[in-house]
Amino acid sequence: MDEEFNWLEYSESMEATAGDGEAPGKSRGLRRFLPGRPSLPRLRRGSRAASGPPSASDILEGQDERALADLDERLRALRERSVAASQPAAPAHQALYDVDDLLASPDLQSKPGGVISAVALSKAQERQVEMLRDIVGGPSQSQGTGGDRQLPVFSLDAAPRLLGTALLILVVCLPFVSSDYAEGELPPSVFPEDRHGPRDMYNLLDNLSRDDYVLVGFEYGPTAAGELDLLADLLLRHIFAQRVKPLIVSSNPIAVVHAQNVIKDINRSLSSADAQLVHGEDYFLLRYLPGGALGLRELSENFADIVRISARGLPTGLEFAALEEMTELLLIAESAEVIRNWVEQVLPEAEGSRLLVATGYAAQPLAQAYAEGMEQIVGPLFGIRDAFTYGEKLRATFGAFVSVEPPVGPVIEPAPVNAESDSQAELPRATQAEIEDAPATALPQPTETAPPTATPFMTDTPPAPTLTPLPTDKPAPTATEASIRIVEVTSDQRVNIRLGPTTVHDILALGYKGDMFEVIGSNGDGSWYQILLPAGVEAWIAAFLVEERVVSASEFAGAQDSASASESAARAVMQLGFTLRLGKNRPRFYQAQPPPSGDRPELALHRDRSLETPRLQAMTLGTLAAVLVIVFGNTIYALRGLLRGPRAQGR
Amino acid sequence: MDQTTLQVYAVLFVLATVLLVYTARYFQRRGKRRPQRRMLSGERVSEWTSGAIEANRPLHLALGGTAVGEDKTAIALAEAEFFYHIIQRSSASDIPPILSTSAPSSIPLAQDTVRRAWSGGDTLSRARWYPGDLAYAAAVTGMMEAEEPAAHILAGSFGPELALMIDSADRRGQGSLAVSDRLEGQAVAYAMADECLIGEELFAAAGAVTDDGRAQADAIVLDVWRALLIMGVTVVLLLEVAKRMPWLNWALVLSVSAILIVFGLLIYRRR
Amino acid sequence: MSNRTGRGQGFGIALSAFVAFAVGAVTALSLLLGDNPALFGDQPGSAQLAGLLALPADVLLRLVTIVVALSIVIGIANLLTTHVGRLSRGKFYSAVLLASFGFTVYWYVTRRGDTSLLEAVQVPIESALAALLCLSLLHGGSRVLGKRADIWGLLFVAVAVIVLLASTPIAELAPVQAWRDWLMRVPVGAGARAMLIGIALGTVVTGVRALLGQDRSVRG
């Protein structure tokens, strides 16, 4: 018996037989086993071209009214039997006589001499026999197909599941119990050089100042909490530490609640009551956006209305005209679809801002592709390992100053700063420890050393190959020169100024429309200009964002009225891996100084880190256990399949 | 490519689709059929609907998070069409199928789909709303216990929570067909479900379970676009490869093509 | 399936098809023309014209967002009717659900803005479910070859194992990480794009069918 039983074929043959009385060409399907041909009435009304083999339901489908009285006598009997089937089984011999004949015997498996057991039944046939048994109320023979099957408390089928689960739980718990089970290496404390996305992301967030607002898309719920909570916690801490106000929004209602929980956890880590983050002052939780992609479109187009109402339905007091007023957009999302929606619906309206993306493993490939393909998208940071590195860097940045009290004056002579600018908020947080280690020349030594807890991160951004010492024969522009070749930023958006002439080089600084830089060269095809930042630092800017012209030295000097820091200081800063902060509308320069007094380093530092390492190790061990279970399970199934032959395998 | 050019292409694409839809419908009406694309699930769905009727149990059809009124409206409509034909096939049963969704805006669509395909009885309460993603999966597993559906057709927008539902169905011996427009859900569907559809098969699925002219015509249109797309990608790929091989010339290309065609024909004839 | 197609019903079908077509066409045109001020050149007023043309789409889409937001009411009505019906059949869990519903409504009415109930109940339960999901996925992953004993199943398992191993920070597995990177960049990227393009094609075809009034749900 080579071909599998086909119930559908069987129905068809029954129909053909009953309909016009023609003898079928040959018996098919289960009919082979029949002692005689049952004479069933034609059930189907009208003719319908079959798109595939008609099923039993096809046969019945044509009946518009299914009142019981209209049913054929045998169908009614069939139906009554099926209702009775849930009762204790009636003797199968007394059930439908045709079917009874069909089956030859109710215990067809247990009777070795029976008609059917004489032939090997395929799985499909066994299923159909079981189905017929179900209808006639006969005792069930198989465990495999019945939907009524009760879940066993313990069965051999459940053993692999239980073992796999037990193994996973065991290995995941081990690192929390003892440190002897550490497996794998901890993530680096700095992002590797080839990962520009996370480095840029850190720099851009670190570059925020107190009057900036960040729109945070908080797009994950408890499902991804294990993977993303730490990352969200750190990113928010970084923002809060600089007194930047995040506007948190989500298209997932549970995520709004979850965001609140993450902030509560941050508050719990802060000791004093007056240091607590307060909704409406330090952050804003906006109302949930229904409608998926359309909700996000609504956010981008009606930003002003949406920011007025908080998640609790109360007025926020925020007045923004458009999404463009956000300095940056930060998206913490668990699914690729949400990232796509943000990129397609929100980002086009946020001119001048970047979308910084943090995500999990599942959405990482898409986020990576976006970040590589679109200038406006930065990142991605993904998973718990990146979170660990981010946390280390954050701690290093803020940590060094905590015990240096008070800061021993400016390490480098402060440059004159514009009266109208908030000089405190614009200062970077280069640490004394870092400056000490910096191979920069002519740096005055601080009188007080950094505390031992500070982690210098000199290895973070080693000088890039393109960073060459400023040629001594190229003096900074002075008023004595008649004219200078410059480029002026013409793009309405903020532009990236990079370490080298490609978009994969680190972002060094941000330029704004109207900013002017002296040109000192260009790359081969003229698509990038090499410019001299006012502090004497060489950098590159894409040609299509700027306009080249020649100006008089005095005009150029006027544009740079914020003056320059010393060359050595700028170079030291470069080597420390900071973004040069040019400020809005006019260039301003980095100076290596303690953090502004307005910053709140405790937010970055007061974290419970005791569980971070065991958690990472648990993840490693858990992944290895999962691989083991998957490989072992599939090997067993593959072997079983090979031993039983292809037809006996589950479908 | 500037925005205007892009828009012109988009309009041309839509117009070509309109033309294709009408052409396919025309040939469908004329009775010209073409072999159905091989989609295993069509046969399995027939088996499940028959099984559900004969075991007097409902089918469970899940829309997941596909919401009408959002960017997934078209997907919701395609799913409704697919479900409509499945319900029609099982309409001889005494128990109407259960349609579940986690998007409240899809409830009217679900109710409408059952009502159209099923005459008589209480069909409104067969469309169920279980909010959330994971909560939806949990509610569906509860329903599996309480109402014992014969099989689950999970065609919609699902994430990894699909695993909970399929696993639970599997343990109860209930069949499952799954497809998701989200990649995470699609991976789970492929690994765990008894049957799975992939990507745009969801839109052609209605054509696989019915001989309805419209559904079949849609499947044809999709097949045509798919074939054109594959050809386009292949041509571009070949041209790119050719650019990197300066020794390649037309004579070589033609002779290799001729040899391949002859071999292909020989293999085809032998089969 | 009912075969009734009276005159009134025919009119209803035609009307709903027309409405669907009209709304769809207006939105599509409005989006096409209004989103692209460059179409109208640099003449004065072209931006205003584009804005005017974009207005119908903006209004309709905003309406859709409002309707979608309001559809939660339909959901609640559905939930209540389903479970009240089940309550009459003596289902215990339905009683629990209805009681919880009533309590939650009371809680939020009396303590406006307090999300502690949600935090204390919904979030922990969802977190627990997420943990269970991990086990389900593990079990599903361990029996892929039981479901699909073919070359594709094998490939699926192999890729899953490579990706999992590459995510572990073990120095000895560094070569696997290179394979993972290639897999993610080339075949996985291509496959994912292919699937998304397929879905987009299907969306266009279904959208066109709805616009032409051919869709069953549009035809009334």
Side-chain angles (χ1 to χ4, degrees), chain A residues 48-49 51 55-58 60-61 66 79 131 147-149 151 161 291 293-294 335-337 651, chain B residues 44 47 50 53-54 57 69-72 88-89 91-94 119 148 167 171-173 182 184 211:
Chain A
R48 210 171 67 107
S51 62
S55 68
S57 51
D58 279 338
L60 301 177
E61 188 186 316
R66 284 174 292 100
R79 187 182 170 282
M131 190 188 289
D148 294 330
R149 192 171 59 149
L151 291 182
R161 177 193 299 271
L294 281 184
S335 91
E337 190 188 16
R651 287 189 286 182
Chain B
R44 189 63 87 90
E47 196 179 302
S50 314
I53 295 168
E54 276 127 28
R57 286 158 50 188
E70 296 180 8
D71 55 332
K72 292 183 179 170
Q88 258 203 333
R89 288 185 86 98
S91 64
S93 171
D94 282 336
S119 61
E148 293 185 353
D167 193 31
R171 285 196 294 151
R172 293 179 165 81
R182 284 161 60 184
E184 303 97 315
D211 56 353

Side-chain angles (χ1 to χ4, degrees), chain A residues 7-8 48-51 53-58 60-61 63-66 78-79 82-83 127-128 131 134-135 144-152 161 222-223 252 290-294 334-337 340-341 345 362-363 651, chain B residues 33 36 43-44 46-47 49-51 53-57 69-72 88-94 118-120 133-134 145 148-149 157 160 167-168 170-174 181-184 193-195 207-211 216:
Chain A
W7 168 255
L8 313 167
R48 210 171 67 107
S51 62
S55 68
S57 51
D58 279 338
L60 301 177
E61 188 186 316
Q63 298 195 330
D64 290 330
E65 298 298 331
R66 284 174 292 100
L78 192 69
R79 187 182 170 282
S82 71
V83 172
R127 264 201 305 276
Q128 302 307 333
M131 190 188 289
D134 216 19
I135 294 168
T145 55
D148 294 330
R149 192 171 59 149
Q150 294 296 310
L151 291 182
R161 177 193 299 271
T223 334
N252 171 357
L294 281 184
E334 65 176 308
S335 91
E337 190 188 16
R340 203 170 61 233
N341 285 344
Q345 306 295 336
R651 287 189 286 182
Chain B
R33 298 184 175 280
Q36 275 287 327
E43 293 164 20
R44 189 63 87 90
S46 294
E47 196 179 302
T49 48
S50 314
I53 295 168
E54 276 127 28
N56 219 24
R57 286 158 50 188
E70 296 180 8
D71 55 332
K72 292 183 179 170
Q88 258 203 333
R89 288 185 86 98
S90 68
S91 64
S93 171
D94 282 336
W118 192 281
S119 61
D133 286 338
L134 272 174
E145 180 72 38
E148 293 185 353
S157 185
D167 193 31
S168 185
D170 216 30
R171 285 196 294 151
R172 293 179 165 81
Q174 301 165 359
D181 66 324
R182 284 161 60 184
L183 295 177
E184 303 97 315
D194 291 328
E195 288 291 337
V209 292
T210 179
D211 56 353
Q216 301 249 328

Side-chain angles (χ1 to χ4, degrees), chain B residues 81-158:
Chain B
E81 182 78 8
F82 180 40
F83 290 166
Y84 171 83
H85 293 294
I86 292 174
I87 299 171
Q88 258 203 333
R89 288 185 86 98
S90 68
S91 64
S93 171
D94 282 336
I95 303 183
I98 299 164
L99 257 83
S100 66
T101 172
S102 63
S105 62
S106 295
I107 298 171
L109 181 71
Q111 284 173 336
D112 200 44
T113 307
V114 189
R115 187 176 56 79
R116 278 169 209 277
W118 192 281
S119 61
D122 170 29
T123 50
L124 281 188
S125 69
R126 305 307 281 181
R128 309 272 174 80
W129 175 60
Y130 303 121
D133 286 338
L134 272 174
Y136 171 78
V140 166
T141 55
M143 184 268 286
M144 285 176 188
E145 180 72 38
E147 313 210 20
E148 293 185 353
H152 305 266
I153 318 284
L154 310 158
S157 185
F158 300 98

Side-chain angles (χ1 to χ4, degrees), chain A residues 475-562:
Chain A
T478 62
T480 55
E481 288 173 3
S483 63
I484 297 175
R485 190 173 151 227
I486 60 121
V487 285
E488 181 177 345
V489 177
T490 52
S491 169
D492 289 333
Q493 302 183 7
R494 290 179 304 156
V495 298
N496 292 335
I497 297 168
R498 294 181 182 270
L499 198 55
T502 69
T503 53
V504 301
H505 279 93
D506 280 359
I507 298 171
L508 276 181
L510 300 173
Y512 292 82
K513 191 171 185 177
D515 282 354
M516 290 184 210
F517 304 101
E518 186 187 352
V519 176
I520 53 172
S522 66
N523 65 345
D525 59 2
S527 58
W528 290 77
Y529 286 109
Q530 189 177 26
I531 56 173
L532 196 63
L533 295 181
V537 176
E538 291 169 18
W540 294 80
I541 191 165
F544 74 96
L545 299 169
V546 294
E547 191 183 278
E548 186 189 343
R549 56 197 177 90
V550 176
V551 294
S552 68
S554 57
E555 189 185 341
F556 182 59
Q560 301 184 72
D561 60 357
S562 59

